[in-house]
Amino acid sequence: MGDERGAWTVFGERTVYDNRWVRVGLADVGAPNGERWDYHVVHLARIAIALIVNERDEALMLWRYRFPTGQWGYELLGGLVDDGEDAAATAAREAAEESGWRPVGEPEHLVAFQPLPGQVTAPVDVYLWRQAERLGEPTDTEEVGRVEWVPLSRVNELAQRQELLGSGTLVSLLYYLNSRR
């Protein structure tokens, strides 16, 4: 591994709030400088994301509104990984439910990341498919939006305009585009 100097010590953690989507913990930690205190940590459920790219170099996305940030923008498809469910299966299921398009073929695990490791555990797994078949209308009425095939050539422009919502979308698209070079 790397140099372990600077590692924090966790003496324990107690839960102060818990439900299916989020758990807030109060961790008893020791910093490298010897100080010890309680540190809030937010634990979010694992997320699986489907990046579906077609032969025209377009990604399947959902244009939608996110009320916590008051933003309209594009998101890739995905959702919470249920207990015991394979993350790739989650990504495929969520893509079909949210868009009406089912990914075809074996997925490629593109990247895994933690978007805010300083205070939040939020594991994200991204899977890539290069084909999808149209099933019909989306069946997830909660995740309502406009389903679009968005040209990958627009990614930088959309990012600059803050129309790519969330780190899951940004990291997935930028990683994919960078890995093609």
Side-chain angles (χ1 to χ4, degrees), residues 5-79:
R5 289 177 296 163
W8 289 40
T9 302
V10 179
F11 299 101
E13 181 176 326
R14 69 180 172 85
T15 298
V16 294
Y17 177 81
D18 191 13
N19 71 24
R20 178 179 176 220
W21 298 277
V22 62
R23 180 172 61 87
V24 179
L26 199 55
D28 177 9
V29 298
N33 66 3
E35 291 187 43
R36 185 170 172 175
W37 68 89
D38 288 335
Y39 192 91
H40 283 89
V41 180
V42 177
H43 302 280
L44 301 178
R46 178 174 293 282
I47 299 292
I49 294 175
L51 172 55
I52 304 170
V53 178
N54 67 17
E55 68 281 351
R56 293 181 306 280
D57 212 28
E58 299 167 325
L60 187 62
M61 291 197 250
L62 192 61
W63 173 264
R64 63 172 310 176
Y65 182 74
R66 285 296 188 182
F67 78 88
T69 57
Q71 288 179 283
W72 283 95
Y74 289 103
E75 284 185 346
L76 292 174
L77 309 160

Side-chain angles (χ1 to χ4, degrees), residues 4 27 33 35 57 60 75 99 120 133 146 155 159 162 168 177:
E4 299 301 324
N33 66 3
E35 291 187 43
D57 212 28
L60 187 62
E75 284 185 346
S99 71
V120 180
E133 64 180 350
R146 185 177 70 232
V155 165
Q162 297 181 29
L177 289 171

Side-chain angles (χ1 to χ4, degrees), residues 100-145:
W101 287 83
R102 181 176 62 216
V104 173
E106 285 299 310
E108 174 187 336
H109 186 259
L110 192 63
V111 67
F113 63 96
Q114 292 269 0
L116 297 166
Q119 289 184 299
V120 180
T121 64
V124 178
D125 288 292
V126 182
Y127 296 88
L128 172 66
W129 284 270
R130 296 183 191 278
Q131 275 186 290
E133 64 180 350
R134 181 84 168 120
L135 301 174
E137 292 301 311
T139 58
D140 187 341
T141 58
E142 190 178 299
E143 301 285 340
V144 68

